[in-house]
Amino acid sequence: MSTADPPSPPPTPEDLERLAAGLAQGAAAVVRDAGIEGLAVSAKSTATDLVTQVDRDTERWLVDELALRRPEDAILGEEGGGRTGTSGVRWVLDPIDGTVNFVLGIPVYAVSVAAEIDGVVVAGAVCNPVSGELFHARLGGGGHLDGRRLGERREVPLSRAVVGTGFSYDAEVRSRQVAALAPMLPRIGDVRRLGAASLDLCFLAAGRLDAYFETGLNPWDHAAGGLVATEAGCLVSGLHGRPPSERLYAAAGPALAESFFALLESEGADSVRD
Ligand code: IPD
Protein backbone atom coordinates (compact mmCIF):
# COMPACT_ATOMS: atom_id res chain seq x y z
CA MET A 1 0.00 0.00 0.00
CA SER A 2 1.42 3.43 -0.88
CA THR A 3 0.95 6.36 1.49
CA ALA A 4 -1.59 7.80 -0.98
CA ASP A 5 -3.85 4.72 -0.73
CA PRO A 6 -6.86 5.13 1.59
CA PRO A 7 -6.86 2.61 4.46
CA SER A 8 -8.95 -0.46 3.60
CA PRO A 9 -12.32 -0.50 5.45
CA PRO A 10 -12.42 -2.86 8.43
CA PRO A 11 -13.94 -6.24 7.54
CA THR A 12 -17.44 -7.00 8.81
CA PRO A 13 -18.15 -10.23 10.73
CA GLU A 14 -20.16 -11.29 7.64
CA ASP A 15 -17.09 -10.84 5.41
CA LEU A 16 -14.97 -12.80 7.86
CA GLU A 17 -17.52 -15.61 8.21
CA ARG A 18 -17.76 -15.93 4.42
CA LEU A 19 -13.98 -16.02 4.10
CA ALA A 20 -13.57 -18.46 7.00
CA ALA A 21 -16.13 -20.79 5.40
CA GLY A 22 -14.45 -20.61 1.98
CA LEU A 23 -11.02 -21.22 3.49
CA ALA A 24 -12.21 -24.16 5.60
CA GLN A 25 -13.84 -25.78 2.56
CA GLY A 26 -10.80 -25.10 0.36
CA ALA A 27 -8.44 -26.54 2.95
CA ALA A 28 -10.74 -29.54 3.44
CA ALA A 29 -10.34 -30.25 -0.29
CA VAL A 30 -6.54 -30.11 0.14
CA VAL A 31 -6.78 -32.69 2.95
CA ARG A 32 -9.19 -34.89 0.97
CA ASP A 33 -7.05 -34.82 -2.18
CA ALA A 34 -3.89 -35.68 -0.21
CA GLY A 35 -5.38 -38.76 1.49
CA ILE A 36 -3.36 -41.00 3.78
CA GLU A 37 -1.52 -43.26 1.37
CA GLY A 38 2.23 -43.11 2.05
CA LEU A 39 1.62 -40.49 4.71
CA ALA A 40 4.69 -39.00 6.48
CA VAL A 41 3.83 -38.98 10.20
CA SER A 42 5.89 -37.63 13.08
CA ALA A 43 5.41 -36.93 16.79
CA LYS A 44 5.23 -33.54 18.50
CA SER A 45 4.81 -32.99 22.28
CA THR A 46 4.70 -36.74 23.08
CA ALA A 47 4.82 -39.97 21.06
CA THR A 48 1.02 -39.95 20.75
CA ASP A 49 0.69 -36.31 19.58
CA LEU A 50 0.96 -36.72 15.81
CA VAL A 51 1.56 -34.37 12.91
CA THR A 52 1.64 -35.28 9.22
CA GLN A 53 2.92 -33.67 6.06
CA VAL A 54 -0.74 -33.08 5.16
CA ASP A 55 -1.23 -30.97 8.34
CA ARG A 56 1.76 -28.84 7.30
CA ASP A 57 0.81 -28.57 3.62
CA THR A 58 -2.77 -27.63 4.50
CA GLU A 59 -1.67 -24.95 6.93
CA ARG A 60 0.71 -23.60 4.26
CA TRP A 61 -2.23 -23.47 1.81
CA LEU A 62 -4.31 -21.50 4.34
CA VAL A 63 -1.47 -19.10 5.14
CA ASP A 64 -0.79 -18.50 1.42
CA GLU A 65 -4.50 -17.82 0.74
CA LEU A 66 -4.63 -15.35 3.63
CA ALA A 67 -1.44 -13.64 2.39
CA LEU A 68 -3.25 -12.99 -0.89
CA ARG A 69 -6.64 -12.02 0.52
CA ARG A 70 -5.83 -10.30 3.83
CA PRO A 71 -2.10 -9.53 3.90
CA GLU A 72 -2.36 -7.19 6.90
CA ASP A 73 -3.90 -9.76 9.26
CA ALA A 74 -2.03 -11.77 11.90
CA ILE A 75 -2.12 -15.58 11.92
CA LEU A 76 -1.78 -18.22 14.64
CA GLY A 77 -1.51 -21.70 13.17
CA GLU A 78 -1.21 -25.00 15.03
CA GLU A 79 1.75 -26.09 12.92
CA GLY A 80 3.69 -22.86 13.44
CA GLY A 81 2.43 -20.92 10.42
CA GLY A 82 2.18 -17.68 12.41
CA ARG A 83 2.79 -14.08 11.50
CA THR A 84 2.09 -10.70 13.06
CA GLY A 85 -0.28 -8.19 11.49
CA THR A 86 -1.39 -4.58 11.60
CA SER A 87 -5.16 -4.79 10.94
CA GLY A 88 -6.40 -5.95 14.37
CA VAL A 89 -7.65 -9.20 12.78
CA ARG A 90 -6.00 -12.50 13.72
CA TRP A 91 -6.76 -15.84 12.08
CA VAL A 92 -6.57 -18.94 14.27
CA LEU A 93 -6.01 -22.06 12.18
CA ASP A 94 -6.07 -25.79 12.78
CA PRO A 95 -5.35 -27.47 9.44
CA ILE A 96 -6.38 -30.89 10.76
CA ASP A 97 -8.05 -31.08 14.15
CA GLY A 98 -8.15 -34.79 14.93
CA THR A 99 -4.85 -35.75 13.32
CA VAL A 100 -4.79 -39.15 15.05
CA ASN A 101 -8.19 -39.95 13.50
CA PHE A 102 -6.90 -38.76 10.12
CA VAL A 103 -3.86 -41.06 10.34
CA LEU A 104 -6.06 -44.02 11.34
CA GLY A 105 -8.68 -43.34 8.67
CA ILE A 106 -11.40 -42.57 11.23
CA PRO A 107 -13.61 -40.01 9.46
CA VAL A 108 -13.84 -37.58 12.40
CA TYR A 109 -11.44 -34.73 11.75
CA ALA A 110 -11.82 -31.19 10.51
CA VAL A 111 -10.24 -28.01 9.29
CA SER A 112 -10.93 -25.19 11.75
CA VAL A 113 -10.63 -21.52 10.77
CA ALA A 114 -11.52 -18.62 13.08
CA ALA A 115 -11.11 -14.86 12.86
CA GLU A 116 -10.59 -12.66 15.93
CA ILE A 117 -10.85 -8.90 16.10
CA ASP A 118 -8.87 -7.42 18.98
CA GLY A 119 -8.72 -10.83 20.63
CA VAL A 120 -12.44 -11.70 20.36
CA VAL A 121 -13.51 -14.50 18.03
CA VAL A 122 -16.04 -12.93 15.64
CA ALA A 123 -16.30 -15.57 12.91
CA GLY A 124 -15.43 -19.19 12.40
CA ALA A 125 -15.90 -22.28 10.28
CA VAL A 126 -15.23 -25.98 10.80
CA CYS A 127 -15.31 -28.35 7.81
CA ASN A 128 -15.07 -32.14 7.89
CA PRO A 129 -13.30 -33.17 4.66
CA VAL A 130 -14.95 -36.62 4.66
CA SER A 131 -18.60 -35.74 5.27
CA GLY A 132 -18.28 -32.29 3.71
CA GLU A 133 -20.26 -30.85 6.63
CA LEU A 134 -19.54 -27.15 7.16
CA PHE A 135 -20.33 -25.57 10.53
CA HIS A 136 -20.06 -21.79 10.57
CA ALA A 137 -20.93 -18.78 12.71
CA ARG A 138 -20.37 -15.11 13.21
CA LEU A 139 -20.82 -13.14 16.41
CA GLY A 140 -24.51 -12.33 16.81
CA GLY A 141 -25.45 -14.15 13.60
CA GLY A 142 -26.26 -17.63 14.92
CA GLY A 143 -24.54 -20.98 14.45
CA HIS A 144 -25.16 -22.84 11.20
CA LEU A 145 -24.60 -26.25 9.64
CA ASP A 146 -24.48 -26.01 5.85
CA GLY A 147 -26.57 -22.84 5.99
CA ARG A 148 -29.20 -24.30 8.35
CA ARG A 149 -29.52 -22.45 11.64
CA LEU A 150 -28.63 -24.51 14.72
CA GLY A 151 -30.26 -24.19 18.12
CA GLU A 152 -32.72 -26.99 18.67
CA ARG A 153 -31.66 -29.58 21.19
CA ARG A 154 -33.21 -32.29 23.30
CA GLU A 155 -33.60 -31.59 26.98
CA VAL A 156 -32.34 -34.40 29.16
CA PRO A 157 -31.37 -34.49 32.81
CA LEU A 158 -27.70 -34.89 33.66
CA SER A 159 -28.30 -38.59 34.35
CA ARG A 160 -29.03 -39.10 30.62
CA ALA A 161 -26.63 -36.57 29.13
CA VAL A 162 -24.10 -37.77 26.55
CA VAL A 163 -20.92 -35.84 27.29
CA GLY A 164 -18.02 -35.35 24.91
CA THR A 165 -14.50 -35.07 26.26
CA GLY A 166 -10.87 -35.59 25.35
CA PHE A 167 -7.68 -36.72 27.04
CA SER A 168 -4.23 -35.18 27.17
CA TYR A 169 -1.27 -36.39 25.11
CA ASP A 170 0.62 -36.43 28.45
CA ALA A 171 0.12 -39.82 30.17
CA GLU A 172 0.31 -38.41 33.72
CA VAL A 173 -2.36 -35.79 33.05
CA ARG A 174 -4.42 -38.50 31.34
CA SER A 175 -4.42 -40.65 34.45
CA ARG A 176 -5.65 -37.68 36.54
CA GLN A 177 -8.33 -36.95 33.93
CA VAL A 178 -9.58 -40.52 34.22
CA ALA A 179 -9.59 -40.28 38.04
CA ALA A 180 -11.79 -37.15 37.82
CA LEU A 181 -14.04 -38.72 35.19
CA ALA A 182 -14.64 -42.05 37.00
CA PRO A 183 -16.99 -40.69 39.70
CA MET A 184 -18.85 -38.62 37.10
CA LEU A 185 -19.67 -41.57 34.88
CA PRO A 186 -22.47 -43.04 37.02
CA ARG A 187 -24.03 -39.58 37.26
CA ILE A 188 -24.26 -38.88 33.52
CA GLY A 189 -25.69 -40.86 30.61
CA ASP A 190 -22.46 -41.73 28.79
CA VAL A 191 -19.26 -40.26 27.37
CA ARG A 192 -17.89 -39.89 23.85
CA ARG A 193 -14.19 -39.37 23.03
CA LEU A 194 -14.52 -38.44 19.38
CA GLY A 195 -10.94 -37.13 18.91
CA ALA A 196 -11.50 -33.66 17.44
CA ALA A 197 -12.39 -30.86 19.84
CA SER A 198 -13.65 -28.53 17.09
CA LEU A 199 -16.17 -31.18 16.03
CA ASP A 200 -17.11 -31.94 19.66
CA LEU A 201 -18.13 -28.29 20.00
CA CYS A 202 -19.96 -28.24 16.66
CA PHE A 203 -21.73 -31.50 17.52
CA LEU A 204 -22.78 -29.92 20.82
CA ALA A 205 -24.11 -26.96 18.81
CA ALA A 206 -26.04 -29.36 16.59
CA GLY A 207 -27.52 -31.27 19.54
CA ARG A 208 -25.49 -34.42 18.78
CA LEU A 209 -23.83 -34.10 22.20
CA ASP A 210 -25.47 -32.75 25.34
CA ALA A 211 -22.32 -31.35 26.96
CA TYR A 212 -18.54 -31.23 26.53
CA PHE A 213 -15.45 -30.59 28.63
CA GLU A 214 -11.72 -30.87 28.19
CA THR A 215 -8.47 -29.70 29.79
CA GLY A 216 -5.48 -28.50 27.80
CA LEU A 217 -7.18 -27.18 24.67
CA ASN A 218 -5.25 -24.73 22.53
CA PRO A 219 -6.92 -21.73 20.85
CA TRP A 220 -6.93 -23.44 17.43
CA ASP A 221 -8.84 -26.42 18.89
CA HIS A 222 -11.78 -24.33 20.16
CA ALA A 223 -11.81 -20.89 18.48
CA ALA A 224 -14.23 -21.67 15.64
CA GLY A 225 -16.17 -24.52 17.30
CA GLY A 226 -16.64 -22.49 20.49
CA LEU A 227 -18.26 -19.67 18.52
CA VAL A 228 -20.53 -22.11 16.66
CA ALA A 229 -21.60 -23.55 20.04
CA THR A 230 -22.27 -20.20 21.74
CA GLU A 231 -24.08 -18.89 18.68
CA ALA A 232 -26.27 -22.01 18.79
CA GLY A 233 -27.28 -21.02 22.34
CA CYS A 234 -24.83 -23.15 24.36
CA LEU A 235 -22.97 -21.85 27.40
CA VAL A 236 -19.18 -22.04 27.30
CA SER A 237 -17.26 -21.49 30.53
CA GLY A 238 -14.49 -22.42 32.92
CA LEU A 239 -15.31 -23.45 36.47
CA HIS A 240 -15.71 -21.35 39.65
CA GLY A 241 -16.68 -18.29 37.61
CA ARG A 242 -13.55 -18.39 35.46
CA PRO A 243 -13.67 -17.97 31.69
CA PRO A 244 -12.93 -21.05 29.57
CA SER A 245 -9.19 -21.65 29.29
CA GLU A 246 -6.52 -24.31 28.92
CA ARG A 247 -7.32 -25.20 32.54
CA LEU A 248 -10.85 -26.24 31.58
CA TYR A 249 -13.13 -25.69 28.64
CA ALA A 250 -16.69 -26.68 29.50
CA ALA A 251 -19.84 -26.27 27.42
CA ALA A 252 -23.46 -27.37 27.56
CA GLY A 253 -26.95 -26.45 26.48
CA PRO A 254 -28.59 -23.86 28.76
CA ALA A 255 -30.89 -26.32 30.53
CA LEU A 256 -28.01 -28.59 31.52
CA ALA A 257 -25.22 -26.09 32.10
CA GLU A 258 -25.72 -25.40 35.80
CA SER A 259 -25.86 -29.04 36.92
CA PHE A 260 -23.09 -30.07 34.52
CA PHE A 261 -20.67 -27.33 35.60
CA ALA A 262 -21.47 -28.14 39.28
CA LEU A 263 -20.62 -31.81 38.64
CA LEU A 264 -17.30 -30.83 37.02
CA GLU A 265 -16.54 -28.58 39.99
CA SER A 266 -17.37 -31.30 42.52
CA GLU A 267 -14.86 -33.66 40.87
CA GLY A 268 -12.11 -31.05 40.44
CA ALA A 269 -12.14 -31.41 36.68
CA ASP A 270 -10.18 -28.18 36.34
CA SER A 271 -7.33 -29.26 38.65
CA VAL A 272 -5.93 -32.18 36.67
CA ARG A 273 -2.83 -30.25 35.61
CA ASP A 274 -2.06 -28.65 39.02
C1 IPD B 1 -6.59 -32.62 19.34
C2 IPD B 1 -8.04 -33.04 19.21
C3 IPD B 1 -8.44 -33.90 20.39
C4 IPD B 1 -8.23 -33.20 21.69
C5 IPD B 1 -6.81 -32.69 21.80
C6 IPD B 1 -6.42 -31.84 20.61
P1 IPD B 1 -5.09 -32.27 17.16
O1 IPD B 1 -6.19 -31.79 18.27
O2 IPD B 1 -8.87 -31.92 19.14
O3 IPD B 1 -9.81 -34.25 20.34
O4 IPD B 1 -8.50 -34.13 22.71
O5 IPD B 1 -6.74 -31.91 22.97
O6 IPD B 1 -5.09 -31.44 20.73
O7 IPD B 1 -3.82 -32.55 17.92
O8 IPD B 1 -5.62 -33.47 16.51
O9 IPD B 1 -5.01 -31.09 16.25
Side-chain angles (χ1 to χ4, degrees), residues 44 49-50 55 78-79 94 96-100 165-169 193-198 200 212 214-218 220-221:
K44 293 195 292 185
D49 179 7
L50 304 182
D55 295 67
E78 178 178 15
E79 311 310 341
D94 194 337
I96 304 181
D97 180 39
T99 301
V100 174
T165 192
F167 301 109
S168 172
Y169 291 124
R193 199 293 189 240
L194 299 176
S198 61
D200 286 317
Y212 167 75
E214 185 160 350
T215 287
L217 287 189
N218 288 295
W220 46 79
D221 297 315

Coordinates of all heavy atoms in Angstrom, one line a residue, residues 44 49-50 55 78-79 94 96-100 165-169 193-198 200 212 214-218 220-221, ligand 1:
K44 N 4.9 -34.9 18.0 CA 5.2 -33.5 18.5 C 5.5 -33.6 20.0 O 6.6 -34.0 20.4 CB 4.0 -32.6 18.2 CG 3.9 -32.4 16.7 CD 2.9 -31.2 16.4 CE 1.5 -31.4 16.8 NZ 0.6 -30.3 16.4
D49 N 1.2 -37.6 20.1 CA 0.7 -36.3 19.6 C 1.3 -36.2 18.2 O 2.4 -35.9 18.0 CB 1.2 -35.2 20.5 CG 0.8 -33.8 20.0 OD1 0.0 -33.7 19.0 OD2 1.3 -32.8 20.6
L50 N 0.4 -36.5 17.2 CA 1.0 -36.7 15.8 C 0.8 -35.5 14.9 O -0.2 -34.7 15.1 CB 0.3 -37.9 15.1 CG 0.4 -39.2 15.9 CD1 -0.3 -40.4 15.1 CD2 1.8 -39.6 16.2
D55 N -1.0 -32.1 7.4 CA -1.2 -31.0 8.3 C -0.4 -29.7 7.9 O -0.9 -28.6 7.8 CB -0.8 -31.3 9.8 CG -1.6 -32.4 10.4 OD1 -1.5 -33.6 10.0 OD2 -2.3 -32.2 11.4
E78 N -1.7 -23.9 14.2 CA -1.2 -25.0 15.0 C 0.2 -25.5 14.6 O 1.0 -25.8 15.5 CB -2.2 -26.2 15.0 CG -1.6 -27.3 15.9 CD -2.5 -28.6 16.0 OE1 -3.4 -28.8 15.2 OE2 -2.2 -29.4 16.9
E79 N 0.5 -25.5 13.3 CA 1.7 -26.1 12.9 C 2.8 -25.0 12.7 O 3.8 -25.2 12.0 CB 1.6 -26.9 11.7 CG 0.4 -28.0 11.7 CD 0.5 -28.9 13.0 OE1 1.5 -29.0 13.6 OE2 -0.6 -29.4 13.3
D94 N -6.5 -24.4 12.6 CA -6.1 -25.8 12.8 C -6.3 -26.5 11.5 O -7.4 -26.8 11.1 CB -6.9 -26.4 13.9 CG -6.3 -27.7 14.4 OD1 -5.5 -28.3 13.6 OD2 -6.5 -28.2 15.5
I96 N -5.7 -29.6 10.5 CA -6.4 -30.9 10.8 C -6.5 -31.0 12.3 O -5.6 -31.3 13.0 CB -5.6 -32.1 10.2 CG1 -5.3 -32.0 8.7 CG2 -6.5 -33.4 10.5 CD1 -4.6 -33.2 8.1
D97 N -7.8 -30.8 12.7 CA -8.1 -31.1 14.1 C -8.6 -32.5 14.2 O -9.5 -32.9 13.5 CB -9.1 -30.1 14.7 CG -9.4 -30.4 16.1 OD1 -8.5 -30.7 16.9 OD2 -10.6 -30.3 16.5
G98 N -7.8 -33.4 14.9 CA -8.2 -34.8 14.9 C -7.1 -35.5 14.1 O -7.5 -36.5 13.3
T99 N -5.9 -35.1 14.2 CA -4.8 -35.7 13.3 C -4.7 -37.3 13.5 O -4.5 -38.0 12.6 CB -3.5 -35.1 13.6 OG1 -3.6 -33.7 13.3 CG2 -2.4 -35.6 12.7
V100 N -4.9 -37.7 14.8 CA -4.8 -39.1 15.0 C -5.9 -39.9 14.3 O -5.7 -40.9 13.6 CB -4.8 -39.5 16.6 CG1 -4.9 -41.0 16.8 CG2 -3.6 -38.8 17.3
T165 N -15.7 -35.5 25.6 CA -14.5 -35.1 26.3 C -13.3 -35.5 25.5 O -13.4 -36.1 24.4 CB -14.5 -35.6 27.7 OG1 -13.4 -34.9 28.4 CG2 -14.2 -37.1 27.8
G166 N -12.1 -35.2 26.0 CA -10.9 -35.6 25.4 C -9.8 -35.7 26.4 O -10.0 -35.3 27.5
F167 N -8.7 -36.5 26.1 CA -7.7 -36.7 27.0 C -6.4 -36.2 26.5 O -6.1 -36.1 25.3 CB -7.6 -38.2 27.3 CG -8.9 -38.8 27.8 CD1 -9.6 -39.6 27.0 CD2 -9.3 -38.5 29.1 CE1 -10.8 -40.2 27.5 CE2 -10.5 -39.0 29.5 CZ -11.3 -39.8 28.7
S168 N -5.5 -35.8 27.5 CA -4.2 -35.2 27.2 C -3.3 -36.1 26.4 O -3.4 -37.4 26.6 CB -3.6 -34.7 28.5 OG -2.3 -34.3 28.3
Y169 N -2.3 -35.6 25.7 CA -1.3 -36.4 25.1 C -0.2 -36.8 26.2 O 0.6 -37.6 25.9 CB -0.6 -35.6 24.0 CG -1.5 -35.4 22.8 CD1 -1.7 -34.2 22.3 CD2 -2.0 -36.5 22.1 CE1 -2.5 -34.0 21.1 CE2 -2.8 -36.4 21.0 CZ -3.1 -35.1 20.5 OH -3.9 -34.9 19.4
R193 N -15.5 -40.0 23.3 CA -14.2 -39.4 23.0 C -14.0 -39.5 21.5 O -13.5 -40.5 21.0 CB -13.1 -40.2 23.8 CG -11.8 -39.5 24.0 CD -11.0 -39.2 22.8 NE -9.7 -38.7 23.1 CZ -9.2 -37.5 22.7 NH1 -9.9 -36.7 22.0 NH2 -8.0 -37.2 23.1
L194 N -14.5 -38.4 20.8 CA -14.5 -38.4 19.4 C -13.2 -38.2 18.7 O -12.9 -38.6 17.6 CB -15.5 -37.4 18.9 CG -17.0 -37.7 19.3 CD1 -17.9 -36.6 18.8 CD2 -17.5 -39.0 18.8
G195 N -12.3 -37.3 19.4 CA -10.9 -37.1 18.9 C -10.7 -35.9 18.1 O -9.7 -35.7 17.5
A196 N -11.7 -35.0 18.1 CA -11.5 -33.7 17.4 C -12.3 -32.6 18.2 O -13.6 -32.6 18.1 CB -11.9 -33.7 16.0
A197 N -11.7 -31.8 19.0 CA -12.4 -30.9 19.8 C -13.3 -29.9 19.1 O -14.4 -29.6 19.5 CB -11.4 -30.1 20.7
S198 N -12.8 -29.5 17.9 CA -13.7 -28.5 17.1 C -15.0 -29.2 16.7 O -16.0 -28.5 16.8 CB -12.9 -28.1 15.8 OG -12.6 -29.2 15.0
D200 N -16.3 -31.8 18.4 CA -17.1 -31.9 19.7 C -18.0 -30.7 19.9 O -19.2 -30.8 20.2 CB -16.2 -32.1 20.9 CG -15.5 -33.4 21.0 OD1 -16.1 -34.4 20.8 OD2 -14.3 -33.4 21.3
Y212 N -19.9 -31.0 26.9 CA -18.5 -31.2 26.5 C -17.6 -30.6 27.5 O -17.9 -29.5 28.1 CB -18.3 -30.6 25.1 CG -16.8 -30.6 24.8 CD1 -16.1 -31.7 24.4 CD2 -16.1 -29.4 24.8 CE1 -14.8 -31.7 24.1 CE2 -14.8 -29.3 24.5 CZ -14.1 -30.5 24.1 OH -12.8 -30.4 23.8
E214 N -13.1 -30.4 28.4 CA -11.7 -30.9 28.2 C -10.7 -29.9 28.8 O -10.9 -28.7 28.8 CB -11.5 -31.0 26.7 CG -10.1 -31.7 26.4 CD -10.0 -32.3 25.0 OE1 -11.0 -32.4 24.3 OE2 -8.8 -32.6 24.6
T215 N -9.6 -30.5 29.3 CA -8.5 -29.7 29.8 C -7.4 -29.7 28.7 O -7.2 -30.7 28.0 CB -7.9 -30.4 31.1 OG1 -8.8 -30.2 32.1 CG2 -6.6 -29.8 31.5
G216 N -6.7 -28.5 28.6 CA -5.5 -28.5 27.8 C -5.7 -28.1 26.4 O -4.8 -28.3 25.5
L217 N -6.9 -27.6 26.1 CA -7.2 -27.2 24.7 C -6.3 -26.0 24.3 O -6.1 -25.1 25.1 CB -8.6 -26.8 24.5 CG -9.7 -28.0 24.5 CD1 -11.0 -27.4 24.0 CD2 -9.2 -29.1 23.6
N218 N -5.9 -25.9 23.1 CA -5.3 -24.7 22.5 C -6.3 -23.9 21.8 O -7.3 -24.4 21.3 CB -4.1 -25.2 21.6 CG -3.0 -25.8 22.4 OD1 -2.3 -25.1 23.1 ND2 -2.7 -27.1 22.2
W220 N -6.5 -22.9 18.8 CA -6.9 -23.4 17.4 C -7.9 -24.6 17.5 O -8.6 -24.9 16.6 CB -5.7 -23.8 16.6 CG -4.7 -24.7 17.3 CD1 -4.8 -26.0 17.6 CD2 -3.5 -24.2 17.9 NE1 -3.7 -26.4 18.3 CE2 -2.9 -25.3 18.5 CE3 -2.8 -23.0 18.0 CZ2 -1.6 -25.2 19.2 CZ3 -1.6 -22.9 18.6 CH2 -1.0 -24.0 19.2
D221 N -7.9 -25.3 18.7 CA -8.8 -26.4 18.9 C -10.3 -25.9 19.1 O -11.2 -26.6 18.7 CB -8.5 -27.2 20.1 CG -7.1 -27.9 20.1 OD1 -6.8 -28.5 19.0 OD2 -6.4 -27.9 21.1
Ligands
IPD1 C1 -6.6 -32.6 19.3 C2 -8.0 -33.0 19.2 C3 -8.4 -33.9 20.4 C4 -8.2 -33.2 21.7 C5 -6.8 -32.7 21.8 C6 -6.4 -31.8 20.6 P1 -5.1 -32.3 17.2 O1 -6.2 -31.8 18.3 O2 -8.9 -31.9 19.1 O3 -9.8 -34.2 20.3 O4 -8.5 -34.1 22.7 O5 -6.7 -31.9 23.0 O6 -5.1 -31.4 20.7 O7 -3.8 -32.6 17.9 O8 -5.6 -33.5 16.5 O9 -5.0 -31.1 16.2

